[in-house]
Amino acid sequence: MAAEKDLSDRGFVIAIVGIGVLLCCGTPIAGFYLSHKDAREEPGIRAAADAYLSAVVRHDDNGAYDMLCAADRRRESRADWLDRPAGGYGVTGFRITDVTVERLSEGPTLRWVTAEVTYSDQAPRTVGLNVERQDGDWKVCSPDVR
């Protein structure tokens, strides 16, 4: 009877230690996983931002519109987009400085690109571009520059 009690007590202690290890090590590891960059997504995200900003530099409003996410295209038709004066006509270049993927424990994964945009008539400005995957392609949503 005493041997069974020792085995039962030992199993309980092992279970408690295992739970403690999972809490102490698992929580930081999960936090790291949720907040780190996913290297597999970064090239596509960067390419979408590059394509959008390149279209802005070339004054290719149709090309820039094609890179917009569905929500932006629903908000504004192509005709309205082309009729609206673009603030980006002074854009002469850009440099992508960061690609960020932020996984939230509750909520969608956020992806955005930070770029330094140069203008012909003003000082360079840092802009953010939200990027989403839609229908297999990366699209820019609500860009800070046009």
Side-chain angles (χ1 to χ4, degrees), residues 15-31:
I16 294 297
V17 168
I19 290 170
V21 167
L22 282 175
L23 287 174
C24 290
C25 298
T27 302
I29 290 170

Side-chain angles (χ1 to χ4, degrees), residues 119-138:
Y119 295 85
S120 61
D121 58 348
Q122 58 183 298
R125 182 168 70 104
T126 300
V127 300
L129 301 171
N130 296 319
V131 180
E132 291 181 10
R133 191 159 185 89
Q134 296 179 344
D135 300 326
D137 293 324
W138 292 103

Side-chain angles (χ1 to χ4, degrees), residues 4-127:
E4 283 181 22
K5 181 164 178 27
D6 287 342
L7 284 176
S8 175
D9 288 345
R10 194 174 336 175
F12 179 74
V13 169
I14 289 172
I16 294 297
V17 168
I19 290 170
V21 167
L22 282 175
L23 287 174
C24 290
C25 298
T27 302
I29 290 170
F32 173 77
Y33 171 76
L34 290 173
S35 65
H36 86 287
K37 289 183 180 181
D38 188 341
R40 294 171 299 171
E41 292 182 340
E42 189 172 328
I45 294 168
R46 181 180 293 272
D50 186 83
Y52 177 81
L53 291 169
S54 293
V56 170
V57 168
R58 291 188 318 268
H59 312 300
D60 178 8
D61 291 338
N62 278 308
Y65 186 85
D66 290 340
M67 292 302 303
L68 293 178
C69 67
D72 286 353
R73 290 193 313 264
R74 278 191 303 271
R75 259 191 307 278
E76 187 171 24
S77 70
R78 183 179 299 269
D80 290 341
W81 171 270
L82 295 173
D83 283 345
R84 183 167 49 100
Y89 282 116
V91 175
T92 58
F94 66 92
R95 181 176 62 91
I96 293 176
T97 57
D98 191 31
V99 176
T100 304
V101 176
E102 184 176 322
R103 287 180 176 77
L104 305 174
S105 59
E106 295 181 23
T109 299
L110 304 175
R111 298 166 183 90
W112 70 91
V113 173
T114 306
E116 185 178 293
V117 176
T118 55
Y119 295 85
S120 61
D121 58 348
Q122 58 183 298
R125 182 168 70 104
T126 300
V127 300

